Amino acid sequence: MADIIKLGLFLMLVAAVAGLGVGYVNNVASPLIEKQILKEKIDSFKEVYPGADKVENESAAYLKSDADPALKEINIAYKNGKQSGVLYLVQSKGYSGLITILAGFDISTHKITAIKVLSQSETPGLGDKAKEPKFQDRYRGKNAATALEVVKTEPLKEHQIQAITASTITSKAVTKGVNAAREHFGRTFVDAKTN
Amino acid sequence: MNLMQEFTKGIIKENPLFRLMLGTCPALAITTSVENGLGMGAAFTGVLLASNIVISLMRSIIPASVRIPAYVVIIASFVTMTDQLMHAFTPGVYKSLGIFIPLIVVNCIILGRAEAFASRNSVVPSIVDALGMGLGFTIALVMVCTFREVLGSGTFLGIQLLPEGIPAILMILPPGGFITLGCLLGFLNKMQKKYAL
Amino acid sequence: MQEYFIIIISAVLVNNIVLSQFLGICPFLGVSKKLTASLGMGGAVSFVLVLSGSITWLLQQYVLNPFKIGYMQTVAFILVIAALVQFVEMVMRKFTPPLYKALGIYLPLITTNCAVLGVAIINIQKDLSFTKALVNSLGHSAGFTLALVLMSGIRERLEEADIPESMQGAPIALVVAALMSMAFLGFSGLL
């Protein structure tokens, strides 16, 4: 009996020391990790909508409860104190999991500035090509007025996006996400102004 | 001289991956690019080194009957620390290694070295053993990675080697991992017979 | 209902734990020489995996998250799994000796089986609800058993084949696994 208590105490001591060590490292590392995540976010904002003075998360004001569930976050970009662009964080179901996309729209031109795939778990070598600029550039400058459509060959019309070879499902998923953002953008930031 | 032997045994004679067939999970899963292989090798070596040092220092005070749980706690703490440090300092590699960093805990090599070596030897040989085993595992990983990255994406450490269209995507998909490791093992077996390594 | 069905199909076939996620390769290569042994291993792993999958989920939700010590996840989970394996071994030996005889020798190997810890972490990472986590664990363990049983069926036949000396054992098993994994890639169109 005494033995068991002794062994138990020993293990507890080991666990306590280990816990202290891990806790210490966590204290050191967690601010750095948070900074890393924030920096990543700011960097991707800059990539998707360059030239903004500041970007604010205004999901509370614009993301209504009846909005498309694909929309996760709405960030507004400001230039000289005026709203100039909208950055949507959208999620869409891909081939093997959720794809998170950041899509930027310009309020004055009504065009897509750029999109960026933030995270995905698509098949390496096929669907994960979605995170390459070569694919993402296909969305650049598209008009927000018409729904985008995925085609397998060279696009003929302005609103067509060429799919990634052998990964139509992934391409469609990304496009679906962008379309959800585009629709919300059209309703909230384009129609409201023209009316 | 003896220390030299402890060091080199991990690289050839008792290479954890090629000879002992340990650590096959990460060797198949993350070996899609050389960068991943180096990252995994470094993380693995760090954890092995730290756990070998601590366990060898504590070898006289750990009661034999609870040694395995004690080792597991020690290894798991170092893995957690490595996980956090990698997240903070090398976010890119951290992302692509994903779940396989916490899974270093159940990598049989580390527990195996603790049980078979660090618990029976003093600190200096344990350090040398960890470095040798770590280097051996890293070399093995990088070998697998090189084949898969060059044949699968046509690049080496991100540098384009083969023109687009030639690389076979299959090599970076799961089957490519199995087939690369299988053929490499067969080849090394043959070499071993021939030169009696 | 449909969601659960998708989780199961995905876990068993599309994202098979062994052949596409590379978890639990050690037992997959080590214990797949005989059909009976692989059934035993599959059973033992499934049992522990489902149990630990639920316990670690509860632990994460009700202990680690409220106290904001999510970073202790790895340490906590591996301890739970190690303790659970010991406990299952004791209970089995006491109450169901036949089952212990069949699965007992595989139990100690399970603590260091990355499939068990891997699925526990995947459940948390994917943010699954409790029932979904349970279904996911069930699906993954079924996938593990399936891969192991298929493999042992092939390996029993390989024994009679004339394989070059240097390819015998693990190398040829890996090449076979590559072909199986290629076949499983075909399932990916299912979802």
Side-chain angles (χ1 to χ4, degrees):
Chain A
M1 197 57 203
D3 244 15
I4 291 183
I5 294 175
K6 222 173 90 189
L7 294 179
L9 278 179
F10 176 80
L11 274 188
M12 253 156 76
L13 192 74
V14 170
V17 173
L20 277 181
V22 173
Y24 175 74
V25 171
N26 178 62
N27 267 345
V28 176
S30 65
L32 285 169
I33 294 173
E34 263 162 43
K35 226 165 97 187
Q36 200 75 52
I37 292 170
L38 193 71
K39 188 176 163 273
E40 235 168 70
K41 201 168 176 184
I42 293 173
D43 279 353
S44 49
F45 279 164
K46 273 188 193 143
E47 238 173 272
V48 170
Y49 191 84
D53 299 331
K54 64 167 182 174
V55 177
E56 301 259 352
N57 183 347
E58 295 187 16
S59 308
Y62 291 103
L63 200 53
K64 306 270 162 47
S65 55
D66 60 340
D68 192 320
L71 304 173
K72 296 294 164 201
E73 219 179 79
I74 299 178
N75 298 282
I76 308 287
Y78 288 90
K79 243 184 227 173
N80 306 323
K82 269 184 14 203
Q83 292 191 346
S84 66
V86 192
L87 296 113
Y88 287 92
L89 190 73
V90 282
Q91 273 185 342
S92 174
K93 206 184 158 326
Y95 187 64
S96 50
L98 284 175
I99 308 177
T100 311
I101 309 145
L102 192 68
F105 293 83
D106 192 83
I107 291 180
S108 55
T109 60
H110 303 169
K111 276 184 178 160
I112 297 175
T113 49
I115 72 148
K116 185 175 163 62
V117 173
L118 297 181
S119 72
Q120 48 84 27
S121 49
E122 304 296 286
T123 320
L126 295 169
D128 79 340
K129 284 203 177 124
K131 65 173 193 264
E132 287 178 8
K134 197 182 152 203
F135 173 69
Q136 295 176 5
D137 281 351
R138 292 177 190 164
Y139 292 86
R140 204 180 284 270
K142 296 284 179 197
N143 201 320
T146 34
L148 299 172
E149 178 191 42
V150 175
V151 289
K152 291 192 184 176
T153 49
E154 281 290 314
L156 301 171
K157 300 200 182 92
E158 203 266 339
H159 68 279
Q160 290 178 332
I161 301 282
Q162 191 183 351
I164 305 164
T165 319
S167 306
T168 320
I169 299 178
T170 308
S171 318
K172 277 191 177 153
V174 174
T175 307
K176 198 176 156 210
V178 175
N179 270 334
R182 189 194 53 75
E183 238 165 64
H184 185 274
F185 176 79
R187 257 184 289 120
T188 323
F189 296 95
V190 180
D191 295 350
K193 273 196 183 155
T194 42
N195 284 351
Chain B
M1 204 54 222
N2 200 12
L3 281 183
M4 199 61 205
Q5 248 172 18
E6 296 295 356
F7 184 67
T8 49
K9 73 162 195 271
I11 300 171
I12 299 172
K13 225 182 193 158
E14 291 180 28
N15 187 297
L17 181 62
F18 292 144
R19 282 296 158 72
L20 309 178
M21 283 305 286
L22 296 174
T24 34
C25 298
L28 290 166
I30 54 92
T31 47
T32 47
S33 75
V34 177
E35 196 189 3
N36 280 356
L38 290 171
M40 189 68 197
F44 170 82
T45 311
V47 173
L48 181 60
L49 185 62
S51 76
N52 253 13
I53 292 176
V54 170
I55 288 166
S56 128
L57 281 174
M58 290 174 65
R59 69 184 187 284
S60 53
I61 53 168
I62 297 180
S65 50
V66 291
R67 62 182 196 286
I68 301 289
Y71 297 162
V72 169
V73 172
I74 292 168
I75 295 169
S77 327
F78 283 123
V79 168
T80 309
M81 292 178 194
T82 312
D83 181 279
Q84 303 217 310
L85 292 177
M86 286 185 85
H87 195 175
F89 293 108
T90 54
V93 181
Y94 177 83
K95 246 189 196 162
S96 51
L97 294 184
I99 191 174
F100 283 91
I101 300 178
L103 285 182
I104 295 178
V105 176
V106 283
N107 189 316
C108 326
I109 307 167
I110 297 185
L111 196 61
R113 287 334 281 170
E115 173 79 0
F117 199 91
S119 60
R120 293 175 194 165
N121 289 286
S122 57
V123 180
V124 177
S126 298
I127 292 177
V128 175
D129 175 72
L131 289 176
M133 284 286 164
L135 189 64
F137 189 59
T138 312
I139 290 176
L141 282 182
V142 170
M143 274 170 84
V144 181
C145 290
T146 309
F147 276 104
R148 290 185 72 187
E149 193 184 333
V150 171
L151 296 177
S153 348
T155 57
F156 179 76
L157 272 172
I159 305 159
Q160 196 81 34
L161 291 182
L162 302 173
E164 207 168 320
I166 289 183
I169 292 165
L170 187 72
M171 291 306 282
I172 47 173
L173 293 178
F178 284 113
I179 214 155
T180 311
L181 190 59
C183 294
L184 209 54
L185 272 177
F187 176 72
L188 290 173
N189 279 347
K190 203 166 172 83
M191 287 293 111
Q192 180 213 354
K193 289 246 164 57
K194 209 167 171 185
Y195 300 105
L197 285 170
Chain C
M1 204 51 228
Q2 193 200 359
E3 267 187 330
Y4 294 104
F5 193 66
I6 289 178
I7 291 178
I8 289 200
I9 294 284
S10 150
V12 179
L13 298 175
V14 181
N15 295 314
N16 185 284
I17 185 161
V18 178
L19 296 170
S20 84
Q21 300 193 57
F22 299 118
L23 297 170
I25 301 285
C26 295
F28 177 66
L29 294 176
V31 207
S32 61
K33 285 190 185 121
K34 284 270 169 300
L35 191 62
T36 44
S38 61
L39 274 172
M41 188 67 183
V45 167
S46 308
F47 195 72
V48 174
L49 203 154
V50 172
L51 262 181
S52 69
S54 357
I55 295 180
T56 50
W57 191 92
L58 294 171
L59 182 75
Q60 176 83 25
Q61 215 64 21
Y62 294 107
V63 181
L64 297 181
N65 284 349
F67 290 107
K68 295 206 174 16
I69 44 171
Y71 59 87
M72 290 297 279
Q73 193 192 49
T74 317
V75 182
F77 281 18
I78 191 73
L79 282 178
V80 165
I81 293 169
L84 193 73
V85 170
Q86 288 273 312
F87 181 70
V88 168
E89 202 181 344
M90 272 172 3
V91 170
M92 263 193 192
R93 187 154 42 185
K94 185 125 197 182
F95 296 106
T96 56
L99 195 62
Y100 177 73
K101 243 187 191 160
L103 305 184
I105 47 165
Y106 305 108
L107 281 172
L109 299 172
I110 293 175
T111 313
T112 52
N113 180 342
C114 42
V116 179
L117 181 63
V119 171
I121 297 179
I122 289 173
N123 281 344
I124 305 296
Q125 270 181 359
K126 282 198 174 165
D127 222 357
L128 299 174
S129 70
F130 183 72
T131 39
K132 279 185 189 160
L134 199 62
V135 171
N136 194 35
S137 313
L138 270 171
H140 274 105
S141 46
F144 180 78
T145 315
L146 178 71
L148 220 63
V149 168
L150 285 177
M151 185 71 178
S152 64
I154 300 174
R155 280 183 88 171
E156 279 187 354
R157 296 211 142 191
L158 272 182
E159 303 252 300
E160 289 154 31
D162 184 21
I163 301 160
E165 208 190 331
S166 51
M167 287 298 279
Q168 279 170 12
I172 194 72
L174 281 163
V175 173
V176 169
L179 295 175
M180 283 170 68
S181 145
M182 233 181 275
F184 269 69
L185 268 187
F187 287 121
S188 43
L190 272 178
L191 291 184

